[in-house]
Each structure stands twice: as structure tokens, then as C-alpha cells.
Amino acid sequence: MSESNNNSAGDSSADREARSVTADSGVDQASMPKHSLLSRLYTGTGAFEVVGKRRFYYGLTGALVAIALLAMLIRGFTFGIDFEGGSRIQFPAGDGVETSQVETVYSEALGFEPESVQTVGSGSSATVQIRSETLDAQQIVTLQNALFDEFQPEDRNGNPSRDAISFADVSETWGGQITKKALLALIVFLVIVSIYIAVRFERDMAIAAIIALFFDIIVTAGIYALVGFEVTPATVIGLLTILGFSLYDTVVVFDKVEENTRGILHLTRRTYGEQANLAVNQTLMRSINTTVISVLPVIALMVVAVWMLGVGTLKDLALVQLVGIVVGAYSSIFFATPLLVSMKERWGPVAVHTRKVLARRATLAEKGLGAKTTESVGAGASVTQRAAVAPAPGARPTGKRKKKAH
């Protein structure tokens, strides 16, 4: 026993540190019980490598931005009447009324084609909406008579009436005012958000969060251009709403990153990126749940308000919220946090700490080559010292660590 104790005491401090570090990582993880996808999601043990695969997610993010920009440049936006001005004609859609028939009646009555004709809603609540350039009084009377003669729209009492055909003129000046106010609101929002995150967390987190918000704006706008939906004041309101959602999700993840990386510079077991990846895993299920719960009411809004009740203005609001919620969840998990880690590991004390941790692992790995063995205390059996490696994603504690000899 004394000889074993002497051998143990003769071990170098580096060897003891190597055994302590590799007590868990040296175990064959393949022999451990397998856990299902849902189990790994809920436990948040770091089984999903997000930060480590950030180059892939950067490429995916860049592809999404490129598609969105091309959609905006090639297809452009379809601005609603509130932004471009013009006349809006609306009347109840009777049985068998087709948009092509309405376009034909419009063209024959006025001599030029309307900008758009669409049917909104379904059943008894369905209406036909015509958007055209600004019409004068004579053109309005002519069109009203032509539409009434052809389709016989009914009023609320079920009687055919010319008054069932409504006209509204919108000035493009009002749309310009809305645009200016929306841009001002967006700028104020971004400034306040930057200040809050910089004070609450730190500068790099504020920069990463703002870049993620711009990503949300670009991709959501690109999808809107790709689909071809009209940009209305409801679209602007929805865009500001989803920015708030995206920011909330990002702040939740960053709060966990801050918690996991507190005091990381004084430790040499894990890097900043590994702790940030663990934070993403720990908040991943929460982000998924929040996204699903947020998307369900939006889908209900699209089904009930748009298709059943025929409230066409809510279509724009519902689409921008649906797209924005999904894009915001993606950016919070797969873009904002990896971007934060890249910024941290490029310069500053975190970069120095990361190099130190990796160098230490390389040194311990070199010591582990050749299957170096040491005598165990009291048993006489040899124990193989394994090379130190980074903790495997999803690795779980495998038992008590070996006690250091005194």
C-alpha cells in the first residue's frame, strides 16, 4: 500500500490534471444509453451543435438574404392603394361572379383596365374589390351603372341596389406620411433596443441582436415581394410587431449565454463558444414552444378572419406576422448567437482564452498519446490515460470522478 501511495504521490500535477479532465470524456459514449430527439431537446444537454457549425448557418443565412434581395430587386413590391393612391371600388360578390368578368365590365365601361381585381372572403361575406387609378365623378357614375347592370349587387336587406357599390379615393400623400412615420418608428425602435441590450448585456450582444433584426426585416420583406402581396399599413404594423418578438427571443438566449459564460475567462475546461452552444441548447425547446404558440393564433387569424369573414386587410397583417415569427426564431437560435461567438473569438480577452483552452487540450492530448499508464492505488492494475478532448455534444456525467491522491 505504501508503494502504491508513493507512486501516486510521484505523479506529476499535469498527469493528475489530465486524469481529472478526461474522467468523463474518456468514457466510450457509444456504449452509453441512447436518448431520443425529444429527450435531448427537453434536457438541453448540448447535443445539438449550433455554434460549432456556424459556417453552415452563415451560408444558409447568406442564401436567404440573397434570395430576399433578388426578390425585392426583380419582382419589387406591390404597394397598396394607401401608398400609391387611387380609387377603391367594392361590392358584394354574388353567385358565379368571377374576377375576369369584373375586369371585362370595367374595361368596356371606362376604356382601360383596372390595376387589380380580387375576391375577398367566402360565402355570403365575399366581396369583390377593384383597385384602379383615381376616377373622376363621371367615371364613377359610368362604372357604377355598368357594374349594377351586370351583377345586380344586393344591399344589407337583400335588395339589388346601386348603393351596394362603394367608392373610396385615397391620396398617395397619406401613404407617404405613413411611410415616413413607419421609418421613424423603426429607427427609434432600433436605437432604444441597442441602448437597452448594451446596458443590460454588453456591446457585442447589442451588435449581434441588431444585425439579426436587420436579417429579419430583409428576409420578411423579400418573402413579401416574392409572394406578391400588397404592402399596406397593416404590413408595416405587423413588421414592427415581429421585430419585438424576435428581440424577445434573442434576449432570452443571450441571457442564458451570459449566465453560462460568467467567469469563463478564469476557467480552462470549456471555451466561450462551447458554453454559448450549451445556452442555445438549454433555450432551444423554449424557443420552439414560444414559436408554435405564437404561430397558432396567426394561422387562426388567417383562416377565420380572411377566408371565413372576408376581412381582407387582416391578410397582410397575418402573413407578415407568420413569416416574421418563423424567421425571428431562426435568427435568434442559428444566427445571433453564432455571430456573437464569432465576434468574441476574433479579438479581445475571449479570443485569448479560447486559444489558451485549445492549446491546453493539445498539450494534454500529446501527453495521452502512446497510452501512458500509471499504477492505481491499492489495486496494482494499470489505468490508461486518454487524451484530453473537448466535451462531446450531449455528453452526460458517467459516474463519480476519480479522487486525487493526497
Side-chain angles (χ1 to χ4, degrees):
M1 177 66 70
S2 61
E3 182 180 357
S4 297
N5 289 335
N6 290 337
N7 290 338
S8 178
D11 288 343
S12 67
S13 59
D15 291 339
R16 291 198 302 270
E17 183 181 16
R19 289 197 301 272
S20 175
V21 169
T22 61
D24 279 354
S25 60
V27 176
D28 182 13
Q29 293 291 334
S31 64
M32 300 302 295
K34 302 297 182 181
H35 300 278
S36 66
L37 175 65
L38 289 178
S39 175
R40 285 178 288 163
L41 277 174
Y42 274 102
T43 53
T45 54
F48 298 94
E49 189 61 63
V50 176
V51 174
K53 297 181 179 179
R54 57 184 179 271
R55 289 187 178 180
F56 167 78
Y57 293 113
Y58 288 161
L60 179 59
T61 300
L64 293 175
V65 172
I67 294 173
L69 292 176
L70 287 175
M72 288 186 283
L73 292 175
I74 297 175
R75 290 183 59 90
F77 294 103
T78 303
F79 289 99
I81 191 173
D82 300 301
F83 290 97
E84 291 193 339
S87 295
R88 180 190 290 122
I89 303 95
Q90 181 173 323
F91 63 92
D95 295 336
V97 177
E98 301 290 340
T99 56
S100 58
Q101 296 175 324
V102 178
E103 291 177 357
T104 301
V105 172
Y106 182 100
S107 301
E108 292 177 352
L110 300 181
F112 54 89
E113 296 182 353
E115 294 185 8
S116 66
V117 178
Q118 60 181 347
T119 303
V120 179
S122 60
S124 59
S125 61
T127 59
V128 176
Q129 293 183 356
I130 307 172
R131 177 186 163 192
S132 72
E133 61 184 57
T134 304
L135 305 177
D136 57 32
Q138 183 60 42
Q139 289 173 324
I140 290 176
V141 173
T142 302
L143 179 60
Q144 187 178 36
N145 292 333
L147 293 174
F148 178 76
D149 294 338
E150 180 68 25
F151 303 110
Q152 295 290 307
E154 299 177 350
D155 58 18
R156 295 181 180 180
N157 298 324
N159 301 318
S161 174
R162 285 179 172 81
D163 295 333
I165 305 173
S166 62
F167 291 82
D169 289 332
V170 179
S171 172
E172 61 181 336
T173 304
W174 187 63
Q177 293 175 351
I178 293 178
T179 304
K180 291 180 180 179
K181 291 181 180 179
L183 292 176
L184 179 61
L186 179 61
I187 294 173
V188 172
F189 173 81
L190 294 177
V191 170
I192 294 176
V193 165
S194 302
I195 295 175
Y196 169 76
I197 298 180
V199 173
R200 171 62 179 83
F201 297 105
E202 56 182 68
R203 181 199 61 191
D204 292 340
M205 287 186 175
I207 295 174
I210 294 302
I211 294 176
L213 285 180
F214 276 108
F215 166 80
D216 297 337
I217 295 174
I218 293 173
V219 173
T220 303
I223 293 177
Y224 231 81
L226 195 62
V227 173
F229 275 24
E230 287 188 350
V231 178
T232 65
T235 306
V236 178
I237 295 173
L239 185 61
L240 294 177
T241 303
I242 61 103
L243 289 181
F245 172 85
S246 175
L247 176 65
Y248 164 77
D249 206 26
T250 302
V251 168
V252 169
V253 179
F254 280 179
D255 183 67
K256 197 64 180 178
V257 172
E258 183 186 46
E259 178 183 338
N260 287 0
T261 57
R262 188 176 293 116
I264 189 69
L265 298 181
H266 303 290
L267 305 175
T268 56
R269 289 290 307 278
R270 291 177 181 264
T271 65
Y272 185 95
E274 291 166 352
Q275 289 297 90
N277 186 74
L278 179 61
V280 171
N281 278 261
Q282 291 170 336
T283 56
L284 183 58
M285 198 63 219
R286 177 175 179 176
S287 297
I288 294 175
N289 289 335
T290 303
T291 302
V292 172
I293 293 174
S294 301
V295 164
L296 290 178
V298 176
I299 295 177
L301 176 66
M302 297 182 70
V303 173
V304 177
V306 179
W307 292 343
M308 298 178 62
L309 300 180
V311 185
T313 55
L314 294 179
K315 177 181 63 177
D316 309 314
L317 178 62
L319 177 65
V320 71
Q321 286 187 335
L322 179 63
V323 174
I325 289 173
V326 176
V327 172
Y330 167 84
S331 67
S332 300
I333 299 171
F334 300 104
F335 182 52
T337 304
L339 180 61
L340 171 66
V341 173
S342 295
M343 294 170 60
K344 288 288 188 182
E345 292 185 347
R346 185 168 294 274
W347 59 75
V350 172
V352 175
H353 173 265
T354 300
R355 290 194 293 268
K356 184 187 300 183
V357 172
L358 296 180
R360 176 176 177 272
R361 286 177 184 169
T363 301
L364 294 177
E366 291 177 359
K367 285 180 174 291
L369 295 178
K372 179 180 178 180
T373 60
T374 56
E375 297 295 327
S376 63
V377 178
S382 62
V383 178
T384 301
Q385 178 180 321
R386 295 175 176 84
V389 295
R396 296 192 175 194
T398 55
K400 294 183 179 179
R401 297 183 182 276
K402 299 179 182 297
K403 295 183 179 180
K404 295 181 181 180
H406 296 286

